[in-house]
Amino acid sequence: MSSMLVVGSVAQDTIHNHLGTHERVLGGSATFAALAASYFTPVKLVGVVGRDFPDSGVQLLRDKGVDVRGLEVVEGKTFFWEGRYSDDLTSRESLKTELGVFASFQPKIPAEHRKTPYVMLGNIDPELQVAVLDQIDAPKLVIADTMNFWISGKPLELAKMLKRVDLLVINEEEARQLAGVHNILKAARALLAMGPRIVVIKRGEYGALLFEGDSVFSAPAYPCEEVLDPTGAGDSFAGGLLGFLAKEDRVDGATLRRAVIHGSVMASFLVEGISVERLVRVTPAEIATRYAAFARLAHFATPAEIGTL
C-alpha cells in the first residue's frame, strides 16, 4: 500500500434543495476526495482555510485518518459557495461564490509530503497545479481535474499542466469543450493526445468512461433509491479511484477498471446524504457489498463466453 496527496479546496457550502436549506456544511474538492480516499489508503491534504473554519471540520478529517499538516489556517474567510438545486437534483444554480483566502492560495507542500507517490490535483488554477508538481519528487501517478472556467480562461497554462499528468478526470461537457469536438470517443482521443495517458470522463447519472490507448471501459452508475445532495460527487469519485490505485500500488488495465468502480462506489454513497454526512459513516463491509452490486449490474457473459472474448 502507498499513500496519496490531495491538493485542492477546503470550503463551506450552503445548499438549498428539496429538503430545505443546509447552512455552512463541509465542502471543497480536497475535502470530498480525501474522505473518499481515506477508506483505501493514507491520505495527506494540502489546502487553506480562514480563521472562521470550524475546528470540528478539521477534527472530522483527522478522525478519518487524513493528515492535515498541509492545511493552512490564515487570517480571512474560508472559501464559501451557496447553491440551489432543482427539485429533481438534475440542475443547480450558483447563488454565491466567495473565494476568501482561497483567492491567494499558493500551495506549499510540506517536506515530508514531497515523496508521496500518488498525487491528486484538485480543480484549481492550472498554474497552481504545475507549481504543486514542481514540489513533488518523482510521483508514480498524478491525477488532475479541471473545469470550464480554466478551459476558457487559461488554455495555455492548462495545456502545460496536461503534459505533466498521467490521468485526467473530467466531466462530459468539459471534455467536449476542451477537445473541441462533440463525439465523446473523438474527444477522448483528443484529450489523450494532449498529454495524459489515461482519461476518465464522468457522465453523472450515466456512469463513467475510461480511456487508455485503444482500450475503452464503460462503468455504470449505481441506481441509488434516494439522492439527497450531489455536491462533491465528482471529487469523491476521483478520490476513491486514486485511493484504490494507491492501495493496490499498481496501475495496470485491470486495476484501473476496478479503481473506476471503487470511485463510483464512493460517489454513490456521497450522494445519499447532505455534504459528507453519509460518506463519513460508510463501513468497509458496505463498500464491499456495493462493489459486488456494481459487478452484477454490468455482468452478462458466462465464464465460457468470457473465455472466447
Side-chain angles (χ1 to χ4, degrees), residues 1-7 29-46 65-68 112-122 136 139-143 235-247 249:
M1 178 185 294
S2 291
S3 60
M4 66 175 270
L5 172 70
V6 178
V7 182
S29 63
T31 304
F32 292 116
L35 289 172
S38 69
Y39 288 91
F40 305 106
T41 196
V43 182
K44 305 160 189 175
L45 182 150
V46 170
V66 177
D67 185 333
V68 293
E112 59 270 25
H113 292 356
R114 294 183 179 181
K115 294 186 183 297
T116 307
Y118 293 86
V119 178
M120 178 176 170
L121 304 174
I136 304 295
K140 186 174 292 187
L141 184 86
V142 177
I143 178 174
D235 301 308
S236 300
F237 169 84
L241 186 160
L242 188 59
F244 182 78
L245 289 177
K247 172 181 175 289
D249 199 17

Side-chain angles (χ1 to χ4, degrees), residues 195-272:
R197 63 183 181 85
I198 306 161
V199 169
V200 175
I201 297 179
K202 300 174 291 184
R203 306 182 67 218
E205 61 182 311
Y206 302 109
L209 294 169
L210 165 69
F211 299 88
E212 183 186 20
D214 294 328
S215 174
V216 182
F217 172 63
S218 177
Y222 186 78
C224 297
E225 288 190 18
E226 187 171 35
V227 175
L228 302 184
D229 179 15
T231 311
D235 301 308
S236 300
F237 169 84
L241 186 160
L242 188 59
F244 182 78
L245 289 177
K247 172 181 175 289
E248 297 296 303
D249 199 17
R250 61 179 184 271
V251 196
D252 56 83
T255 308
L256 272 170
R257 293 181 177 211
R258 293 166 62 209
V260 168
I261 297 299
H262 278 93
S264 298
V265 165
M266 302 315 294
S268 74
F269 283 121
L270 182 280
V271 303
E272 291 179 341

Side-chain angles (χ1 to χ4, degrees), residues 67-132:
D67 185 333
V68 293
R69 286 177 291 176
L71 180 63
E72 297 181 73
V73 182
V74 300
E75 292 298 332
K77 298 289 188 180
T78 300
F79 180 20
F80 172 74
W81 176 79
E82 181 175 2
R84 177 179 290 114
Y85 283 92
S86 60
D87 287 346
D88 61 4
L89 300 176
T90 59
S91 63
R92 72 182 186 186
E93 174 190 5
S94 289
L95 303 177
K96 189 180 295 184
T97 301
E98 298 173 353
L99 293 178
V101 297
F102 193 64
S104 56
F105 180 44
Q106 295 292 325
K108 302 177 186 67
I109 309 303
E112 59 270 25
H113 292 356
R114 294 183 179 181
K115 294 186 183 297
T116 307
Y118 293 86
V119 178
M120 178 176 170
L121 304 174
N123 184 6
I124 58 176
D125 188 322
E127 288 188 87
L128 297 183
Q129 291 174 319
V130 170
V132 169

Side-chain angles (χ1 to χ4, degrees), residues 152-167:
S152 58
K154 291 201 170 183
L156 296 180
E157 294 83 353
L158 182 59
K160 292 177 182 178
M161 182 274 286
L162 290 174
K163 294 184 186 303
R164 296 188 58 181
V165 304
D166 303 290
L167 195 161

